[in-house]
Amino acid sequence: MTVVFRDQVAEYVVGLQDRIVAGLEKFDPSAPKFNRDSWTRAEGGKGLSCAFAIPNPTRLEDTNTVLEKAGVNVSIVHGSLPLAAVKQMRVEHATLPSDPDSQEALPFFAAGISLIVHPRNPHAPTVHANYRYFEVSDPKDPSKIAAWWFGGGSDLTPSYLYQEDAIHFHETLKNACDRHAPGVLYRPFKKWCDEYFYIPHRKEMRGIGGIFFDDLNSADHHLLLSTDKDPSSSRPRSQEEIFAFVKSCGDSFLPSYLPILEKRAKTPFNEQQRRWQLLRRGRYVEFNLVYDRGTKFGLNTPGARVESILMSLPETARWEYQSEVGTNAESEEGKLLEVVRNPREWA
């Protein structure tokens, strides 16, 4: 059953990648196509990285594509987790097996999709999503699954706040959650997203959130204890049920984002607004390089494909010493800062 289930997950993430890339290419037909880079991992597995970037631009302002940089990556890998990765994952995953003092590497399988879209226009938000399945095997009997879980989510990072966009994005994700456990999953996963994509040294979120979840399996979950202890309530627990939930979330990506991109991609903007966009991208870089667990885990994994791991970083970003932009609370930039410092409910 394990091999069959792995194949189902792999087939889904590959198909979702095809749909998302096709949707983005169709949206901007005059732009160059995504570069499709198929790769194999010497330690076990394979993947396909689909990347969009303008080759060797002299000035980004000279280009007229909707996207500035984007990546939609799929990886389907297996092998042994080194001790550094095991140590980090044991802190983050309560169901990870084996003795904390063990020096044994753990056999693993992982399949997932990870994507980032950085539009050119400052009024169009950056979006990020990833959905993955992970399992580890008993080191004494690799044919036996020792633990498995799903994780993922999607979040929006605007430079300028449009409340109708935030509502649309969150309501689409809430509907995906409610199809599998009405009133159970969206609120805790939205809260987890707000807490996860937080930059402590800035005391602000990376964006306006979305949903984030991890360690979803048949065991009780620390965020869902009130539901898990209530026999009258239910949520996805089996591999098949949680996979169905993850597919609903993955399928919601294009409906959640493309209408926003279509609405904002051609909005006129000036140099000041572009400057603010690049400053906000600087925050994006700070979070991804300093705090993001996925980045840390990827770089600690043997055979790490650094180009794919760091594809999420924007083409350009900016840091200013004691910048005055956003200090006026009544400005459009100040209104965005208010929201990333004080998360709101949108759905």
Side-chain angles (χ1 to χ4, degrees):
M1 176 179 174
T2 301
V3 174
V4 173
F5 189 76
R6 289 177 177 181
D7 290 345
Q8 291 174 351
V9 176
E11 181 181 10
Y12 173 71
V13 296
V14 169
L16 181 60
Q17 180 189 42
D18 286 343
R19 284 185 280 143
I20 291 174
V21 171
L24 292 170
E25 288 182 336
K26 183 179 179 181
F27 184 84
D28 197 6
S30 63
K33 298 294 185 183
F34 277 66
N35 175 45
R36 289 157 170 82
D37 178 21
S38 180
W39 51 269
T40 57
R41 180 175 175 268
E43 294 79 2
K46 61 183 180 179
L48 177 64
S49 297
C50 297
F52 177 91
I54 301 298
N56 302 318
T58 54
R59 287 200 323 151
L60 289 174
E61 290 75 8
D62 291 337
T63 61
N64 59 3
T65 57
V66 170
L67 305 184
E68 186 171 328
K69 185 180 179 185
V72 187
N73 297 341
V74 158
S75 61
I76 304 162
V77 298
H78 57 86
S80 294
L81 286 177
L83 294 179
V86 172
K87 182 177 180 181
Q88 180 182 333
M89 292 190 72
R90 184 169 286 113
V91 173
E92 299 161 353
H93 298 279
T95 56
L96 191 71
S98 83
D99 184 346
D101 298 322
S102 171
Q103 298 299 300
E104 277 189 299
L106 292 178
F108 80 96
F109 169 85
I113 181 171
S114 179
L115 68 92
I116 182 71
V117 178
H118 292 293
R120 190 171 306 284
N121 194 303
H123 297 278
T126 285
V127 70
H128 159 260
N130 77 85
Y131 295 100
R132 64 192 178 278
Y133 170 71
F134 199 99
E135 69 179 37
V136 294
S137 302
D138 185 336
K140 297 181 175 59
D141 184 357
S143 66
K144 295 181 179 179
I145 298 178
W148 59 267
W149 58 84
F150 284 91
S154 184
D155 65 289
L156 202 66
T157 305
S159 299
Y160 289 93
L161 180 65
Y162 292 92
Q163 296 200 37
E164 62 268 35
D165 295 351
I167 291 170
H168 168 80
F169 186 78
H170 277 268
E171 284 187 343
T172 305
L173 293 176
K174 182 178 183 298
N175 291 338
C177 292
D178 286 349
R179 280 196 288 274
H180 299 271
V184 171
L185 301 177
Y186 169 74
R187 295 289 174 200
F189 291 168
K190 190 268 184 189
K191 183 175 184 291
W192 200 356
C193 187
D194 291 340
E195 294 171 349
Y196 179 78
F197 293 105
Y198 181 71
I199 310 171
H201 62 268
R202 298 289 187 180
K203 295 182 173 56
E204 62 187 46
M205 293 165 48
R206 189 175 73 176
I208 61 168
I211 60 171
F212 178 88
F213 59 89
D214 206 356
D215 220 17
L216 276 191
N217 53 31
S218 58
D220 288 350
H221 196 282
H222 71 284
L223 283 184
L224 306 170
L225 285 180
S226 60
T227 298
D228 290 343
K229 300 300 183 183
D230 182 355
S232 65
S233 299
S234 63
R235 67 165 176 90
R237 280 186 179 267
S238 69
Q239 279 185 320
E240 292 76 12
E241 290 170 339
I242 298 175
F243 185 30
F245 161 67
V246 169
K247 287 192 288 186
S248 288
C249 292
D251 293 345
S252 74
F253 173 76
L254 287 175
S256 73
Y257 184 64
L258 281 189
I260 297 173
L261 187 61
E262 183 174 16
K263 198 184 305 182
R264 307 299 172 195
K266 301 298 183 182
T267 303
F269 65 92
N270 56 36
E271 290 297 324
Q272 174 75 355
Q273 291 166 335
R274 172 67 171 172
R275 174 188 171 198
W276 175 242
Q277 179 192 41
L278 298 184
L279 286 169
R280 294 310 304 170
R281 286 183 179 174
R283 301 291 203 267
Y284 203 95
V285 172
E286 290 174 23
F287 175 84
N288 279 34
L289 294 183
V290 178
Y291 300 109
D292 185 61
R293 286 173 13 192
T295 301
K296 292 179 181 179
F297 175 78
L299 295 177
N300 279 327
T301 302
R305 200 163 189 276
V306 176
E307 290 296 324
S308 295
I309 295 168
L310 299 182
M311 187 184 289
S312 64
L313 300 181
E315 190 82 11
T316 53
R318 185 180 180 99
W319 288 266
E320 295 181 7
Y321 182 71
Q322 295 185 342
S323 176
E324 83 287 357
V325 186
T327 54
N328 178 0
E330 299 303 315
S331 68
E332 294 303 313
E333 295 81 8
K335 291 174 183 176
L336 186 278
L337 284 181
E338 168 61 23
V339 170
V340 298
R341 290 170 179 167
N342 300 285
R344 294 182 190 173
E345 295 299 328
W346 300 104

